[in-house]
Amino acid sequence: MDPEGSRIRDDPHIKVMMAGSTLRKVKSRSWKKQRHFRLLEDGMTIWYKSRWAGMGHSTFSVTEMEAVREGHQSEVLLSTAEEFPADLCFTLVFHGRQGNLDLVAETPEEAKAWIQGVRKLIHKAQNMDEKERLDQWVWDWFKKADKNKDGKMTFKEVRKLLKMMNVEMSEDHAFHLFTMADKSDSGSLEIEQFVYFYKMLTQRDEVWKVFQDYSGDGEKLMLEELENFLSMEQQEGEKSSHAQELINRYEPSESAKKQGAMSLDGFQIYLCSQEGSIFKPELRELHQDMSQPLSHYFISSSHNTYLLEDQLRGQSSLEAYIQALKRGCRCVEVDCWDGSDGEPVVYHGHTLTSKILFRDVISTLKEYAFKASDFPVILSLENHCCVEQQTVMAKHIRVICGDMLLTTLLHGQVPQQLPSPQELKGKILLKAKKISGTEGSLDETLTDDISDEEEMTNHEAESLSAEEPPAGTLNHDGKNSKTKLSKELSDLVVYCKSVHFHGFEYARSYGKCSEMSSFSESKAKRLAKDTGTDFVQYHTRQLSRIYPAGRRTESSNYNPQDMWSVGCQIVALNFQTAGLEMDLNDGLFAQNAGCGYVLKPAFMRDGNTQFSPEKPEDRPGYTPMRLSIQVISGQQLPKVNQKEGSIVDPLVRVEIYGVPQDQAKEETSHINNNGFNPVWNETLNFVIHTPELALVRFEVEDYDKTSRNDFMGQFTLPFTSIQAGYRHIHLLSKDGTAIPPSSLFVNISISELTRRSQI
């Protein structure tokens, strides 16, 4: 069995890749070295010879790649454009935060073969169904373990393979399975026999038990039996058509299909599919009302978007904007400073971060703004430039963005509420200061969003470079004057006018929906705790932007949930920093087609709302929920320590993030030496007071009694997106990228918490 089939191998572009090519790997203008690249026989692994890697070569999988860019479509290749013509150049783009690979071929034909070949392989990998994916995975392991490449595997090789696969198994049991699979008594397994061995190894008793509960003969689920399972366990109601669809879609046996039945194999494939996953598939689609005012949505937002690393020494890069926008980010930040040649530059001021041209940032924004989502992008400007260079900025924004830039009020009138994402589709909005109207008075718009100095206590003095500077610093002469703001730039601000926050009373009486303020995380937290209801009401009409404290020099993040719980829309995080906070952001915005906008719950959109996250029980319609999670088993969990012979001791922690009363975590015990098919069968229980705001995070860790547990994988999703019943949770890496076939198998029940059960 070779899941690749011969068809793809016969493709002329793939043949060039398999034969191998000498390509130049380019890291900078000065670092360009030749490496020999080739596609291995599995059709999934690209190998290249490099004297730096331990054994003299490196490999990466096609599944790690997201796209191929042709020509000079990276900063590195642009910088070497004079040396290498565009038709020789291409860039391999990887998922997550892994850096790109910039390559230069020796001939245009060779470049084309690699570009087209890699695209075909990526397309093929993305369109594999569950069974093909599993076949591919088994095939990969077979090749890794078949050290002498004879297409057969001895018991010694199988024993090594089990260690590699995270399985600790008694030698007797392993040998017993091996001899059962070795039907020809040859002392070795060929690929078909290895598949049989793998099937016995991965026999899932816990799935078989569920199957037995509903199968009359223990061999198959007839249509009616499958319907019973779907309505009793999966809580999907009476839908016979759905049961039939599942059989058509997931049953591998034609004879079972003809009987209108599902075998154990089909049942397992269904449970591991997207439909059997914990996330309600229909909520992954664009399903929310997108015609409400912008202030009624949470908006995926990035801080210091130009950085790939930390904010003291990190590299400023256009690639950072591309990565954020591809992840559905809808509010990007640009820190602008005077450039030496009249061209404004973007970097983190007064630090060692590298600089990029403002006009290049705007060109990148124009190209990538609407690839992941059609809904509007807010360009948050931190402006440190003199008037002349502000005017240059205005010209670049106008000329480069063209029709994409919103420059006038919709319908030509001053609104009582902000326009909707639907009305602003395909538009870029500028968030910056604006010169006030014709009344001639110096209004607060020139005072910066962060003129909170008077409120800062010594212990929380945050760097003022964290947001726009007080207006006086714009002038470099200490004068706070209107003329120091460029009229051309001011004119481009329509719905996102930066103003200083004067308190909730002032906002209620005088605040306009097109005015927005920025808050440091500590000020926002203080307001949320002391005046939560006021903050929620404020956000029904006006936008706010929250940004990390200046002391977070390593670009760490704060917990965004605290801000979402009071309705803050633009909760800006360092997208470049992996971890819990970005998991929460990815989890919230995974719903609604990942479009970067999530509609707030109804009780946070009502201008007279009395909701306070500190007292969720006081709101009308308060209905606490009970969440019960039986953590049954894990499948093929990733290895943490690549040392030969090391096996993980996994445990599962479930964490709830939401209003203060909902913050909770529970964990299972750990299983010794089994990352392949650990079974816990432990139930974790939670009560959730504000389900509409809660996020649920599943994390798998490698237990260590002497030091901190190692992270293995996680999955985060909104409580409202959870499907009840027997579900698989497909784990993600620290970077938020898929790590198939690693998963957890759980049984989830959700019910309203009645008064009796509260007593």
Side-chain angles (χ1 to χ4, degrees):
M1 177 205 81
D2 177 351
E4 281 311 304
S6 56
R7 193 166 52 86
I8 193 111
R9 292 219 177 105
D10 292 337
D11 182 278
H13 298 139
I14 303 295
K15 280 184 169 168
V16 170
M17 292 176 69
M18 287 187 136
S21 304
T22 299
L23 305 172
R24 207 178 288 265
K25 181 178 167 186
V26 185
K27 282 191 181 176
S28 67
R29 291 179 74 159
S30 55
W31 198 105
K32 321 172 259 237
K33 302 198 175 174
Q34 288 192 325
R35 297 280 182 263
H36 190 68
F37 283 78
R38 69 183 169 90
L39 176 66
L40 298 185
E41 295 69 24
D42 64 354
M44 290 295 280
T45 309
I46 292 174
W47 173 100
Y48 64 98
K49 191 139 179 66
S50 154
R51 62 197 170 95
W52 297 114
M55 296 297 289
H57 70 268
S58 299
T59 61
F60 56 88
S61 169
V62 169
T63 56
E64 293 171 50
M65 286 189 283
E66 188 180 296
V68 189
R69 295 191 206 140
E70 284 181 68
H72 300 143
Q73 283 199 64
S74 77
E75 286 158 290
V76 168
L77 290 175
L78 272 170
S79 71
T80 57
E82 287 178 14
E83 189 178 351
F84 303 121
D87 60 3
L88 300 180
C89 298
F90 59 99
T91 302
L92 302 183
V93 182
F94 293 87
H95 292 291
R97 294 175 178 80
Q98 193 177 334
N100 296 343
L101 195 52
D102 290 306
L103 299 169
V104 181
E106 292 182 338
T107 66
E109 294 71 34
E110 199 159 39
K112 188 178 174 212
W114 277 85
I115 291 162
Q116 299 297 338
V118 171
R119 280 183 183 156
K120 284 171 196 165
L121 293 174
I122 290 174
H123 179 76
K124 183 175 181 301
Q126 285 171 345
N127 288 285
M128 279 198 274
D129 64 25
E130 293 301 319
K131 186 172 181 327
E132 288 172 324
R133 220 177 283 280
L134 198 61
D135 286 348
Q136 180 63 54
W137 195 75
V138 176
W139 178 252
D140 289 347
W141 278 117
F142 183 84
K143 287 220 297 312
K144 273 183 200 162
D146 181 17
K147 294 290 185 208
N148 58 1
K149 305 285 177 238
D150 63 353
K152 295 187 179 119
M153 208 176 303
T154 63
F155 182 60
K156 190 177 172 190
E157 286 174 316
V158 164
R159 256 190 17 237
K160 272 201 158 165
L161 170 68
L162 292 179
K163 281 263 196 261
M164 287 158 69
M165 289 172 108
N166 235 340
V167 188
E168 185 70 79
M169 187 182 281
S170 83
E171 192 154 329
D172 288 351
H173 185 56
F175 190 66
H176 172 65
L177 294 183
F178 183 88
T179 49
M180 282 175 72
D182 180 18
K183 296 197 171 126
S184 54
D185 286 336
S186 64
S188 62
L189 305 181
E190 294 184 10
I191 183 70
E192 285 81 2
Q193 294 166 330
F194 177 68
V195 170
Y196 181 64
F197 169 80
Y198 176 81
K199 265 194 133 170
M200 289 189 290
L201 188 65
T202 53
Q203 186 101 40
R204 290 185 52 190
D205 291 343
E206 74 278 25
V207 172
W208 183 78
K209 279 176 187 149
V210 178
F211 185 80
Q212 291 296 305
D213 285 345
Y214 286 87
S215 167
D217 63 1
E219 295 290 320
K220 58 192 171 303
L221 288 174
M222 299 309 292
L223 190 62
E224 194 179 334
E225 292 167 340
L226 182 55
E227 283 167 25
N228 284 343
F229 169 76
L230 293 175
S231 90
M232 302 282 292
E233 301 291 352
Q234 309 298 75
Q235 296 178 25
E236 290 184 16
E238 301 295 330
K239 291 190 290 190
S240 59
S241 62
H242 188 219
Q244 187 59 58
E245 281 166 22
L246 294 180
I247 291 171
N248 296 343
R249 202 169 301 150
Y250 300 115
E251 178 50 54
S253 155
E254 287 303 323
S255 62
K257 265 188 197 169
K258 285 199 178 87
Q259 293 176 53
M262 185 177 260
S263 66
L264 178 59
D265 275 355
F267 186 63
Q268 191 161 312
I269 292 169
Y270 149 65
L271 284 176
C272 293
S273 73
Q274 280 308 312
E275 281 182 271
S277 88
I278 190 172
F279 206 120
K280 288 179 184 165
E282 64 273 20
L283 297 194
R284 282 194 179 275
E285 309 299 317
L286 187 67
H287 67 280
Q288 294 184 333
D289 175 6
M290 302 307 287
S291 62
Q292 301 206 25
L294 276 185
S295 55
H296 287 186
Y297 297 84
F298 296 122
I299 303 171
S300 182
S301 306
S302 157
H303 175 247
N304 287 350
T305 316
Y306 46 87
L307 291 180
L308 279 172
E309 297 161 53
D310 70 66
Q311 62 192 53
L312 287 185
R313 299 169 302 279
Q315 186 190 350
S316 302
S317 169
L318 300 174
E319 205 58 51
Y321 283 95
I322 295 171
Q323 286 183 15
L325 290 164
K326 281 196 313 198
R327 284 179 88 145
C329 178
R330 298 288 86 193
C331 178
V332 296
E333 185 184 21
V334 185
D335 279 15
C336 308
W337 298 79
D338 288 340
S340 53
D341 55 357
E343 279 292 340
V345 291
V346 174
Y347 78 112
H348 201 273
H350 312 301
T351 64
L352 300 175
T353 58
S354 58
K355 298 172 184 174
I356 46 181
L357 287 174
F358 176 78
R359 66 166 185 243
D360 289 345
V361 170
I362 302 303
S363 296
T364 302
L365 179 64
K366 177 183 188 268
E367 187 176 348
Y368 287 92
F370 303 108
K371 284 204 187 316
S373 168
D374 295 332
F375 295 108
V377 171
I378 298 167
L379 174 59
S380 179
L381 209 55
E382 187 178 313
N383 179 4
H384 304 262
C385 293
C386 65
V387 177
E388 291 73 23
Q389 293 209 16
Q390 288 178 49
T391 305
V392 173
M393 282 159 56
K395 182 182 161 212
H396 286 325
I397 296 172
R398 260 188 186 283
V399 171
I400 295 168
C401 294
D403 292 344
M404 280 185 186
L405 184 68
L406 188 82
T407 54
T408 54
L409 290 164
L410 296 182
H411 320 301
Q413 59 199 35
V414 179
Q416 290 309 299
Q417 59 178 30
L418 287 164
S420 68
Q422 187 65 41
E423 290 174 289
L424 294 167
K425 256 187 167 181
K427 290 294 180 190
I428 294 170
L429 279 61
L430 185 63
K431 171 200 167 289
K433 293 197 189 65
K434 190 170 178 68
I435 298 169
S436 58
T438 53
E439 69 273 17
S441 64
L442 180 70
D443 83 351
E444 283 292 353
T445 53
L446 285 189
T447 311
D448 188 74
D449 303 350
I450 190 191
S451 48
D452 298 335
E453 303 99 304
E454 69 275 9
E455 298 192 38
M456 286 186 182
T457 54
N458 292 334
H459 71 272
E460 65 159 13
E462 291 157 357
S463 158
L464 286 179
S465 66
E467 255 290 301
E468 301 174 33
T473 60
L474 281 172
N475 311 348
H476 310 296
D477 61 4
K479 289 180 190 159
N480 189 357
S481 155
K482 247 191 221 185
T483 57
K484 297 302 176 186
L485 195 60
S486 153
K487 182 175 184 312
E488 288 84 348
L489 193 60
S490 168
D491 286 349
L492 301 183
V493 179
V494 183
Y495 289 115
C496 299
K497 174 181 173 181
S498 293
V499 300
H500 174 57
F501 178 69
H502 285 284
F504 295 120
E505 276 305 319
Y506 182 91
R508 266 191 284 273
S509 306
Y510 306 107
K512 299 183 179 73
C513 66
S514 57
E515 294 175 335
M516 60 180 291
S517 300
S518 292
F519 303 89
S520 68
E521 61 173 279
S522 43
K523 180 163 183 188
K525 257 188 159 162
R526 208 158 51 239
L527 289 170
K529 193 159 179 44
D530 301 343
T531 48
T533 302
D534 287 329
F535 219 0
V536 176
Q537 284 184 3
Y538 171 82
H539 286 127
T540 61
R541 205 163 150 267
Q542 287 179 254
L543 295 171
S544 76
R545 179 176 184 270
I546 317 299
Y547 56 90
R551 64 176 175 274
R552 293 182 181 275
T553 51
E554 75 289 19
S555 294
S556 62
N557 282 313
Y558 54 92
N559 185 333
Q561 187 69 51
D562 301 332
M563 315 304 170
W564 293 327
S565 290
V566 284
C568 304
Q569 302 88 350
I570 299 176
V571 180
L573 296 177
N574 290 299
F575 269 49
Q576 72 274 24
T577 307
L580 162 69
E581 298 81 11
M582 273 308 294
D583 293 345
L584 295 176
N585 198 75
D586 289 346
L588 176 70
F589 291 103
Q591 59 187 317
N592 213 27
C595 75
Y597 285 82
V598 166
L599 188 63
K600 293 195 269 189
F603 61 82
M604 300 185 93
R605 308 194 303 259
D606 169 8
N608 300 312
T609 182
Q610 291 305 303
F611 172 72
S612 162
E614 297 291 328
K615 292 186 178 166
E617 64 280 3
D618 288 356
R619 77 174 166 95
Y622 164 68
T623 312
M625 304 295 281
R626 180 185 290 286
L627 170 65
S628 183
I629 301 167
Q630 183 193 6
V631 180
I632 303 171
S633 61
Q635 293 73 47
Q636 290 100 51
L637 301 176
K639 276 190 89 153
V640 179
N641 190 332
Q642 292 305 322
K643 277 210 308 265
E644 201 167 321
S646 83
I647 308 275
V648 296
D649 306 322
L651 64 84
V652 178
R653 180 181 302 118
V654 178
E655 303 168 336
I656 312 291
Y657 293 89
V659 298
Q661 256 176 280
D662 287 343
Q663 308 283 2
K665 49 183 76 172
E666 297 281 335
E667 64 184 44
T668 66
S669 52
H670 66 275
I671 305 282
N672 284 326
N673 289 330
N674 188 350
F676 189 73
N677 55 0
V679 175
W680 290 277
N681 271 328
E682 292 179 41
T683 301
L684 310 176
N685 290 303
F686 302 92
V687 172
I688 299 180
H689 299 273
T690 311
E692 300 89 339
L693 287 173
L695 289 165
V696 183
R697 182 171 185 261
F698 295 82
E699 185 179 339
V700 185
E701 293 183 350
D702 180 13
Y703 172 77
D704 192 322
K705 67 173 181 283
T706 56
S707 62
R708 205 170 150 194
N709 294 349
D710 286 320
F711 170 93
M712 292 173 68
Q714 68 83 31
F715 189 78
T716 306
L717 77 167
F719 173 82
T720 50
S721 299
I722 292 178
Q723 298 201 88
Y726 286 98
R727 303 292 171 189
H728 277 87
I729 296 166
H730 299 282
L731 296 173
L732 303 175
S733 70
K734 197 164 191 161
D735 249 1
T737 57
I739 38 176
S742 298
S743 64
L744 295 175
F745 185 46
V746 296
N747 187 11
I748 289 177
S749 69
I750 297 171
S751 55
E752 285 187 13
L753 191 68
T754 60
R755 287 209 174 276
R756 184 173 297 162
S757 60
Q758 289 180 60
I759 295 168

